[in-house]
Amino acid sequence: MTKAMKIAIVDDEKDMRQSISQWLALSGYDTETYSSAEEALGAVGADYPGIVISDIRMPGMDGIQFLRKLMGNDSALPVIMITGHGDVPMAVEAMRIGAYDFLEKPFNPDRMSELAKKATNARRLTLDNRVLRRELSDGGQLMSKLIGQSPAMERLREDVLDLGQADGHVLIDGETGTGKTLIAHALHAVGSRAGKKFVLISCAAMDEDALMRRLFGPMQPEDTRLPAIEEARGGTLVLEDIESLSDASQARLLSVINDQGTPPETRIVAICNLQDEGRTCETALRPDLYYRLAALKITVPPLRQRGEDILTLFTRFSEQFSDEYGCDSPQVSAQEAAQLLQAPWPGNVRQLINLAERAVLQSRRGTGTIASLLMNDHEDMQPVMTTEGKPLKEYVEAFERMLIDNTMRRHKGSISSVMDELCLPRRTLNEKMAKYGLQRSDYL
């Protein structure tokens, strides 16, 4: 998980870069300012944890030359160019090279903040995916990240193992924040294409011309990579936000799929982020393309259907953030455990990660409760109501399992210490651990 995004501001005019920096800082961004492209290049390299905002007209290395250098180092780095009056041709050239967008002086600060938000979100996704690719070099390690013992997660892991061994194209759908990109990595890592190229493209992050060129070519002189369909040859090409493709783009993709034959040289894993009654992936795509991609399909379950996995995930994420911030994990009360289980979780696992981080930071300050964070996230949520109609017994058992699990982790598997803290005789503790599938060896 990437931390807060930075924004590198490059402009030879001191007043301009300071005013941009101040405005973005007020919007909550961590800004860095540079008076020249040469100076910025020393700090902004591949995997830079943020985005760049740069003027086009600068002495020495101008913005276009600077952009070419940045794209050569990291073609997925979002760069927003600032242009003066009459610089539209230069802005068009910048977009052709790979700029994320441009702002024409005098620009609206709110428009700049809006662009910065979109660009940093895109950058965070790119960096998270790169971390995943580095971490998940083998299927076993990756499968261990698909945490949960709920029936929905058991089925999901079985689907990943089964479909990973197949060669056909795959469609992954599900609500936002459920971990669809992680599933795409898993499909690649557990199959015969593991070790081959894994290329991920966000179809919503580029305009149509740039997307078609990135996917299929033709190559431009300044391009540093092959078209994605060629770059991923023998491996897997993941297309996120497949529903955003235009009709023309869908026709081009279908043609490429048909030309590949069976088994395909490049396996395509399409990720769809539509899940509502008004518009679905099936209605967003032309039927012939949809059925080619959906011959093998995985629907990732929403968090609210995963039962006590919610408590397991919250514990894991809390421990990770506690290690990162150097403090203890927050203690979860029975009431808070019940509320975690009954929350609607529209943002799914991604929302749970954010809540766990805020809970750790809040605990470090010694203020607030998990319940207050939940109520802020779900203003219409009532503390004693459940959304799934579960009996009290299920909440009690889920809390009991979480409590024993947390205590075992804290005491590194020391049965006597856990017995003392929870005031349980050994036989009762053993029975409950067996009931909840907890093994002492997992905590040593």
Side-chain angles (χ1 to χ4, degrees):
M1 292 173 288
T2 53
K3 297 182 181 180
M5 292 283 100
K6 295 181 179 180
I7 298 182
I9 301 160
V10 188
D11 200 307
D12 61 304
E13 296 182 18
K14 183 178 180 180
D15 290 345
M16 176 61 74
R17 64 177 182 267
Q18 285 186 342
S19 63
I20 294 175
S21 176
Q22 289 172 0
W23 179 263
L24 291 174
L26 288 173
S27 299
Y29 292 103
D30 181 8
T31 62
E32 302 173 336
T33 60
Y34 304 94
S35 59
S36 69
E38 292 86 350
E39 181 187 5
L41 280 174
V44 181
D47 291 330
Y48 177 72
I51 68 169
V52 175
I53 297 178
S54 173
D55 194 11
I56 280 190
R57 293 190 180 275
M58 296 184 290
M61 183 185 295
D62 66 21
I64 296 295
Q65 295 171 311
F66 179 45
L67 177 63
R68 290 185 189 276
K69 291 279 190 181
L70 292 174
M71 292 296 99
N73 292 335
D74 187 343
S75 61
L77 175 66
V79 181
I80 299 171
M81 308 300 296
I82 299 175
T83 68
H85 181 68
D87 285 342
V88 173
M90 295 183 72
V92 172
E93 172 68 4
M95 296 293 287
R96 190 183 70 82
I97 294 171
Y100 184 82
D101 212 325
F102 70 93
L103 290 165
E104 188 175 3
K105 298 177 183 176
F107 53 83
N108 184 332
D110 289 327
R111 168 63 177 159
M112 179 180 62
S113 296
E114 178 186 349
L115 268 182
K117 181 179 179 180
K118 290 181 179 178
T120 52
N121 285 340
R123 183 59 171 172
R124 183 178 289 106
L125 178 62
T126 296
L127 295 180
D128 283 347
N129 288 335
R130 287 180 184 174
V131 169
L132 278 174
R133 284 199 292 273
R134 286 193 287 265
E135 288 181 349
L136 309 176
S137 56
D138 68 85
Q141 184 182 4
L142 189 145
M143 292 300 286
S144 70
K145 290 183 175 286
L146 301 180
I147 300 168
Q149 301 302 319
S150 63
M153 283 304 293
E154 295 284 5
R155 286 193 300 271
L156 179 62
R157 283 192 290 268
E158 291 173 1
D159 288 344
V160 169
L161 290 171
D162 288 344
L163 272 58
Q165 300 301 315
D167 250 331
H169 306 304
V170 182
L171 177 67
I172 304 174
D173 68 359
E175 296 179 10
T176 182
T178 49
K180 296 185 289 295
T181 302
L182 178 64
I183 301 303
H185 281 276
L187 285 169
H188 178 77
V190 301
S192 60
R193 297 173 189 257
K196 304 290 182 63
K197 291 289 289 186
F198 180 96
V199 179
L200 187 145
I201 302 292
S202 173
C203 299
M206 292 177 265
D207 62 50
E208 185 171 6
D209 290 341
L211 178 62
M212 288 298 96
R213 191 169 66 249
R214 176 69 184 96
L215 287 176
F216 310 115
M219 300 287 291
Q220 300 294 325
E222 69 275 5
D223 289 336
T224 59
R225 294 184 297 185
L226 291 170
I229 198 73
E230 295 293 331
E231 185 183 356
R233 185 182 297 275
T236 303
L237 172 61
V238 179
L239 300 178
E240 289 186 321
D241 302 303
I242 188 74
E243 73 279 358
S244 66
L245 289 180
S246 68
D247 291 341
S249 300
Q250 291 184 38
R252 180 74 183 278
L253 178 60
L254 179 64
S255 177
V256 169
I257 290 174
N258 289 335
D259 289 344
Q260 286 198 76
T262 305
E265 284 187 294
T266 301
R267 186 185 204 187
I268 294 174
V269 176
I271 296 177
C272 180
N273 285 303
L274 288 175
Q275 272 253 322
D276 59 65
E277 295 181 1
R279 189 167 179 252
T280 65
C281 196
E282 185 172 358
T283 59
L285 298 179
R286 49 186 292 166
D288 42 6
L289 176 60
Y290 174 79
Y291 288 112
R292 289 303 300 271
L293 295 174
L296 302 175
K297 185 178 178 183
I298 291 179
T299 298
V300 186
L303 185 60
R304 63 183 173 276
Q305 292 179 4
R306 293 178 54 185
E308 66 181 70
D309 285 356
I310 295 169
L311 300 183
T312 302
L313 288 167
F314 182 82
T315 298
R316 296 289 178 88
F317 297 141
S318 296
E319 289 174 349
Q320 291 172 10
F321 286 119
S322 295
D323 290 341
E324 181 179 327
Y325 292 113
C327 59
D328 293 332
S329 297
Q331 297 299 305
V332 182
S333 69
Q335 174 74 8
E336 289 170 334
Q339 288 182 306
L340 285 167
L341 289 168
Q342 72 177 344
W345 299 112
N348 292 290
V349 177
R350 191 175 302 143
Q351 181 185 0
L352 182 62
I353 292 172
N354 294 337
L355 185 131
E357 182 173 19
R358 284 184 288 150
V360 168
L361 292 172
Q362 185 175 256
S363 176
R364 186 173 66 169
R365 295 193 304 268
T367 60
T369 62
I370 295 170
S372 65
L373 294 175
L374 275 170
M375 296 299 285
N376 287 336
D377 276 1
H378 312 287
E379 293 181 359
D380 58 345
M381 178 179 168
Q382 299 299 317
V384 296
M385 293 180 65
T386 67
T387 58
E388 298 294 325
K390 296 177 182 176
L392 176 63
K393 180 175 179 289
E394 288 191 27
Y395 289 112
V396 172
E397 289 180 348
F399 174 70
E400 193 172 62
R401 184 189 187 282
M402 182 198 69
L403 190 60
I404 295 173
D405 179 51
N406 288 351
T407 310
M408 288 291 290
R409 287 181 185 280
R410 194 163 55 253
H411 292 296
K412 296 180 172 56
S414 171
I415 294 295
S416 58
S417 298
V418 174
M419 290 166 52
D420 289 343
E421 180 171 331
L422 299 181
C423 300
L424 288 175
R426 178 180 291 273
R427 180 178 176 181
T428 303
L429 178 59
N430 288 342
E431 289 174 348
K432 290 186 179 296
M433 289 182 65
K435 176 182 179 181
Y436 299 130
L438 304 176
Q439 298 183 19
R440 181 173 176 269
S441 59
D442 294 335
Y443 303 98
L444 297 177

